[in-house]
């Protein structure tokens, strides 16, 4: 079977949706020459009216997409770095997200915000290394963080077809992941439905994006010692709470690993909801970036604020001892 | 259920049509301020009194399928584009029969069936939305035009200038209409704007003109020229309309008594009244007929709004997601 990289899966999803629906178009900075590679080949296939290079005007092109979406189009914006979402936060959270309710249901804003390379790429320092998915989940914007090539394809496809704004975070640490799979089998993946990547009996590890692969590696390392279930919600908002509850009903123990800051992060919400809804045998644990982290430049410093496998291993052992 | 309105059969760009528009907006705003004072409209409003000629003149140059985006001071634009005054007032009063089912209120009135893509409570935010709507219309092969109304305060917002760049760069059928009423809340234009407002448009190579924003006919002429240019594929224009806000920035001023305009200035500003300027072009009998008709429309609107049911709190987050997704409740238990 052929290999498909996560990166190529995003490219394939864009191409398939552009071909399927004439309302879909892609816009962003340097998308014609595909600096990030995610839009490679699309200009040649679909022309400049479907693949729009924009000036460096994040606020304007984000609301431009909102206006086009309210007029029947399905824009996909590619943001070259995650921090650009801070510039466009007003346009996404305070405009696009609010139009359906504020107009009493008169309109919909089907815009997809695609952020390839989110999180630390190591060496990109303070303003290029954030992974701000928790902000959008908090605001109620549908937020997706795929872990694998087939999920990257399936979730991006669903995001483009969704009638609401959706942010798709493709972590830098996952872009190079490859899977041996049948291209014909690629299919949309519904939002809000999690995936158990590895069955286990003793503890549930919740992870999204590239951290799923770290969780799987740790689970494998600990296989003789402890049986780890790896649960990937795939979308952090809406979250598959029933899927989490089913896993915890089996294991009764919870560790969350989350590449966002600890304060008000996704890990905090998962832990809180599990405490409210589930019958946990012991207090849960979480592994996150520190409170208020700004990613420092030097390699060792950068890595020091990323959740890592050693921390996850320690957290798993801790909840098992209790 | 909306109130049936007898529409006076005069084209909106005729002298009677323009007069009816300014008269309707003025009467509507006066009654809305009364309803703020009586507590029937909570949160207050940003009255459009004094600026009516701009909405009337620009919208008279538009077709029904052209689109507009508006500001937090948006009632005039929405009414001039043809929204039902009864449903606009019901929206202001937070009723289920309002344009937005009571979910938007004064600053978010929208009627997509009439091309009203929403009033917007963030200064300068609508220009880029307008550009996107204009681009989408062109992609469809339509010659629809999109108008963005904004105040003088918005010309210092970066996103609006970015939007002007996109519109000019891509020759989009957009009309940028600046309502320069001299104040961004309490800050004067001379304390806020370096250079000129038309200079903002000229910098992007856009035809830009300053016109008398108190005379509906003058505004109509300028708007028509710009709309024709946009429809012909010749790109966007900027019109700066010089106007004066007769009332407060927001009705909270009625209580707060903030002082930033001298009484003489306000008196003098009110001397040139768009209702009187346009009314003088009608004979007395015709003017009286329009006044009476507008009075009955606004009376009916008030009755309709106040008789309408409040929305059911159970549905407070209805329409949050176009897909119908439901949010988790926030209560305990």
């Amino acid at each position: 079977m052929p290999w498909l990289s996560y990166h190529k899966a995003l490219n394939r999803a864009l191409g398939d949706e552009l071909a399927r629906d004439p309302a879909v178009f892609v816009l962003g900075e340097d998308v014609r020459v595909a600096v990030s590679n995610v839009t490679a080949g699309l200009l040649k296939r679909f022309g400049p009216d479907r693949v729009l290079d924009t000036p460096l005007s994040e606020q304007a092109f984000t609301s431009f997409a909102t206006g086009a979406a309210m007029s029947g189009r399905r824009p996909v914006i590619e943001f070259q770095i995650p921090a650009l979402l801070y510039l466009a936060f007003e346009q996404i959270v305070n405009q696009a997200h609010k139009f359906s309710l504020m107009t009493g249901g008169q309109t919909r804003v089907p815009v997809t915000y695609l952020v390839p390379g989110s999180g630390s790429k190591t060496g990109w320092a303070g303003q290029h290394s954030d992974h701000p998915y928790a902000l959008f989940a908090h605001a109620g914007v549908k937020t997706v963080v795929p872990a694998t090539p087939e999920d990257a394809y399936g979730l991006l496809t669903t995001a483009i077809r969704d009638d609401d704004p959706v942010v798709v975070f493709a972590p830098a640490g996952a872009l190079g992941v490859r899977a041996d799979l049948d291209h014909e089998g690629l299919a949309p993946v519904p939002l809000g439905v999690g995936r158990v990547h590895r069955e286990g009996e003793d503890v549930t590890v919740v992870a999204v994006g590239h951290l799923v692969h770290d969780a799987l590696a740790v689970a494998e390392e600990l296989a003789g010692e402890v049986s780890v279930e790896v649960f990937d919600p795939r979308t952090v908002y809406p979250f598959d709470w029933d899927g989490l509850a089913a896993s915890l009903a089996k294991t009764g123990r919870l560790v969350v690993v989350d590449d966002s800051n600890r304060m008000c992060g996704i890990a905090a919400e998962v832990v809180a909801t599990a405490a409210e809804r589930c019958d946990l045998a012991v207090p849960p644990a979480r592994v996150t970036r520190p409170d208020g982290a700004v990613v420092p430049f030097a390699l060792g410093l950068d890595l020091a604020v990323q959740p890592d496998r050693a921390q996850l291993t320690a957290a798993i052992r801790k909840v098992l001892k209790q | 259920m909306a109130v049936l309105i007898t529409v006076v059969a005069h084209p909106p760009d005729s002298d009677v049509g323009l007069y009816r528009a300014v008269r309707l907006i003025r009467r509507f705003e006066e009654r809305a301020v009364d309803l703020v004072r009586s507590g029937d409209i909570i949160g207050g409003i940003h009255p459009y009194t004094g600026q009516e000629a701009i909405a009337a003149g620009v919208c008279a140059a538009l077709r029904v399928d052209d689109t507009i985006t508006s500001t937090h001071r948006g009632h005039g634009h929405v009414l001039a584009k043809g929204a039902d005054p009864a449903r606009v007032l019901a929206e202001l009063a937070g009723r289920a029969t309002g344009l937005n089912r009571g979910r938007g209120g004064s600053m978010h009135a929208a009627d997509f069936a009439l091309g009203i893509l929403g009033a917007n409570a963030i200064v300068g935010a609508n220009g880029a939305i307008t550009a996107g709507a204009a681009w989408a219309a062109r992609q469809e092969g339509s010659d629809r035009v999109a108008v963005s109304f904004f105040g003088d305060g918005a010309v210092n917002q970066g996103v609006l200038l970015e939007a002007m760049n996109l519109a000019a760069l891509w020759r989009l059928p957009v009309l940028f209409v600046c309502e320069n009423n001299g104040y961004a809340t309490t800050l004067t234009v001379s304390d806020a704007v370096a250079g000129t407002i038309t200079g903002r448009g000229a910098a992007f190579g856009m035809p830009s003109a300053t016109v008398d924003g108190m005379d509906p006919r003058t505004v109509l002429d300028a708007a028509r020229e710009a709309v024709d240019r946009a429809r012909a594929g010749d790109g966007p224009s900027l019109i700066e309309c010089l106007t004066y806000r007769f009332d407060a920035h927001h009705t909270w001023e009625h209580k707060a008594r903030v002082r930033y305009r001298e009484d003489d200035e306000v008196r003098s500003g009110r001397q040139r009244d768009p209702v009187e300027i346009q009314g003088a072009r009608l004979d007395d009998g015709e003017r009286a007929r329009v006044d009476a008709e507008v009075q009955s429309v606004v009376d009916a609107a008030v009755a309709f709004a106040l008789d309408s049911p409040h929305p059911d709190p159970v549905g407070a987050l209805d329409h949050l997601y176009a897909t119908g997704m439901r949010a988790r409740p926030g209560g305990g238990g």
Side-chain angles (χ1 to χ4, degrees):
Chain A
M1 267 194 274
W3 285 87
L4 182 68
S5 78
Y6 189 115
H7 217 134
K8 182 67 185 167
L10 295 173
N11 177 257
R12 181 177 280 260
L14 287 177
D16 286 356
E17 289 309 292
L18 281 160
R20 194 187 66 85
D21 181 353
V24 175
F25 71 102
V26 175
L27 71 163
E29 292 156 355
D30 311 304
V31 295
R32 290 193 192 165
V33 299
V35 161
S36 74
N37 235 357
V38 167
T39 54
L42 298 181
L43 176 68
K44 195 173 170 196
R45 269 180 83 190
F46 300 103
D49 283 349
R50 307 283 304 281
V51 183
L52 275 67
D53 254 352
T54 60
L56 310 188
S57 296
E58 292 83 11
Q59 297 186 331
F61 69 63
T62 304
S63 273
F64 174 93
T66 300
M70 294 197 302
S71 306
R73 299 275 149 175
R74 291 191 173 274
V76 182
I77 305 178
E78 192 200 14
F79 287 93
Q80 296 290 350
I81 57 167
L84 297 178
L85 293 174
Y86 299 142
L87 279 174
F89 203 67
E90 200 282 319
Q91 286 72 27
I92 299 172
V93 170
N94 203 35
Q95 302 286 341
H97 170 57
K98 292 185 178 174
F99 263 100
S100 178
L101 184 141
M102 288 195 307
T103 63
Q106 290 182 64
T107 192
R108 54 199 180 131
V109 187
V111 183
T112 302
Y113 312 93
L114 175 61
V115 194
S118 190
S120 173
K121 294 182 277 289
T122 60
W124 290 66
Q127 292 176 335
H128 277 39
S129 304
D130 286 355
H131 206 169
Y133 51 81
L135 295 179
F136 292 90
H138 177 78
V141 181
K142 293 175 180 177
T143 304
V144 180
V145 192
T148 66
E150 63 270 29
D151 283 351
Y153 178 91
L155 290 164
L156 177 56
T157 300
T158 303
I160 294 169
R161 297 181 190 180
D162 197 279
D163 279 342
D164 291 312
V166 183
V167 192
V168 179
F169 288 92
L175 288 177
V177 172
R178 291 160 70 91
D180 187 14
L181 47 82
D182 183 355
H183 290 189
E184 298 304 311
L186 290 171
V189 171
L191 304 186
V193 178
R195 172 176 180 182
V196 175
H197 286 270
R198 180 189 177 105
E199 303 262 356
E201 303 295 328
D202 299 329
V203 58
T204 298
V205 171
V206 175
V208 293
H210 63 296
L211 293 176
V212 167
H213 305 287
D214 286 320
L216 287 169
V218 168
E220 186 61 29
E221 279 167 25
L222 297 178
E225 180 186 340
V226 49
S227 169
V228 176
E229 175 144 316
V230 177
F231 177 72
D232 170 13
R234 300 197 282 196
T235 54
V236 295
Y237 186 82
F239 195 98
D240 182 0
W241 297 117
D242 291 339
L244 175 71
S247 179
L248 291 176
K250 191 164 58 167
T251 64
R253 287 180 164 81
L254 171 64
V255 175
V256 189
V257 57
D258 172 22
D259 188 24
S260 54
N261 293 352
R262 195 173 189 86
M263 182 74 184
C264 297
I266 297 301
E269 181 56 40
V270 173
V271 163
T273 299
E276 284 174 339
R277 275 189 56 169
C278 303
D279 189 15
L280 293 177
V282 298
R286 55 189 157 135
V287 178
T288 67
R289 292 187 183 188
D291 276 356
V294 174
V295 175
F297 167 68
L299 180 59
L301 305 180
D302 176 317
L303 293 175
V305 300
Q306 307 295 319
D308 65 21
R309 293 181 186 183
Q311 291 170 325
L312 179 57
T313 303
I316 291 169
R317 289 210 169 106
K318 184 181 155 210
V319 299
L320 282 165
K321 274 187 201 148
Q322 289 172 320
Chain B
M1 193 174 62
V3 176
L4 282 176
I5 293 161
T6 314
V7 177
V8 181
H10 295 290
D13 58 351
S14 65
D15 274 340
V16 182
L18 288 170
Y19 178 69
R20 184 181 185 275
V22 293
R23 182 73 265 179
L24 171 68
I25 297 167
R26 175 67 55 84
R27 182 63 76 219
F28 182 97
E29 291 294 65
E30 289 167 348
R31 296 299 294 275
V33 170
D34 290 344
L35 293 175
V36 171
R37 288 179 167 151
S38 66
D40 291 297
I41 294 176
I42 58 163
I45 63 167
H46 301 80
Y48 194 63
T49 44
Q51 303 183 207
E52 297 91 342
I54 304 169
V58 171
C59 290
L62 300 178
R63 296 194 313 232
V64 173
D65 65 338
D66 291 326
T67 56
I68 67 166
T69 60
S70 176
T71 70
H72 56 283
R73 195 181 308 288
H75 310 162
H77 311 130
V78 172
L79 291 170
K81 191 67 171 52
D84 177 353
R87 293 196 59 215
V88 181
L89 200 56
E91 186 58 35
L92 270 51
R95 305 304 171 111
T97 55
L99 277 184
N100 307 26
R101 298 188 168 101
R103 269 71 177 180
S106 168
M107 290 190 282
H108 301 300
D111 190 337
F112 278 67
L114 294 168
I116 303 165
L117 306 188
N120 205 304
I122 300 299
V123 170
N126 67 358
I129 294 170
T130 313
W135 179 85
R138 192 175 67 187
Q139 295 302 111
E140 272 172 26
S142 157
D143 65 349
R144 288 203 310 271
V145 168
V147 176
S148 165
F149 290 99
F150 52 90
D152 47 274
V155 306
N156 295 320
Q157 293 281 5
V159 66
L160 180 66
L161 302 176
E162 289 183 20
M164 287 182 181
N165 183 56
L166 285 189
L169 192 66
W170 294 340
R171 295 180 77 76
L172 300 176
V174 177
L175 179 51
F176 292 100
V177 178
C178 178
E179 305 190 333
N180 179 358
N181 66 18
Y183 292 87
T185 307
T186 65
L187 187 69
T188 62
V189 167
S190 58
D191 284 336
V193 178
T196 62
I197 289 173
T198 50
R200 307 286 203 266
F204 300 108
M206 218 187 286
S208 304
T210 301
V211 302
D212 176 8
M214 304 308 269
D215 184 341
R217 240 193 217 168
T218 307
V219 175
L220 168 63
D221 289 345
R224 186 170 273 151
E225 189 185 328
V227 165
D228 288 349
R229 189 156 51 226
R231 235 189 265 298
D234 293 333
S237 307
L238 167 66
I239 302 174
E240 177 193 17
C241 300
L242 298 176
T243 185
Y244 194 75
R245 160 161 60 72
F246 288 6
D247 205 333
H249 165 69
H250 183 271
T251 44
W252 60 260
E253 278 180 31
H254 295 283
K255 285 182 183 171
R257 296 172 193 274
V258 291
R259 294 277 303 171
Y260 55 95
R261 306 194 294 189
E262 297 300 325
D263 292 343
D264 280 353
E265 183 201 301
V266 177
R267 252 195 307 277
S268 144
R270 286 179 175 166
Q271 300 266 306
R272 296 199 69 236
D273 183 332
V275 175
E276 297 307 321
I277 290 170
Q278 190 59 27
R281 293 175 180 141
L282 274 55
D283 69 48
D284 290 350
E286 201 161 35
R287 185 170 173 177
R289 276 194 296 279
V290 174
D291 289 353
E293 188 257 346
V294 163
Q295 185 67 45
S296 69
V297 165
V298 175
D299 285 348
V302 173
F304 173 79
L306 298 185
D307 287 347
S308 288
H310 294 275
D312 183 348
V314 168
L317 287 187
D318 284 357
H319 315 295
L320 177 58
Y321 298 99
T323 47
M325 187 176 97
R326 307 302 298 191
R328 280 193 297 168

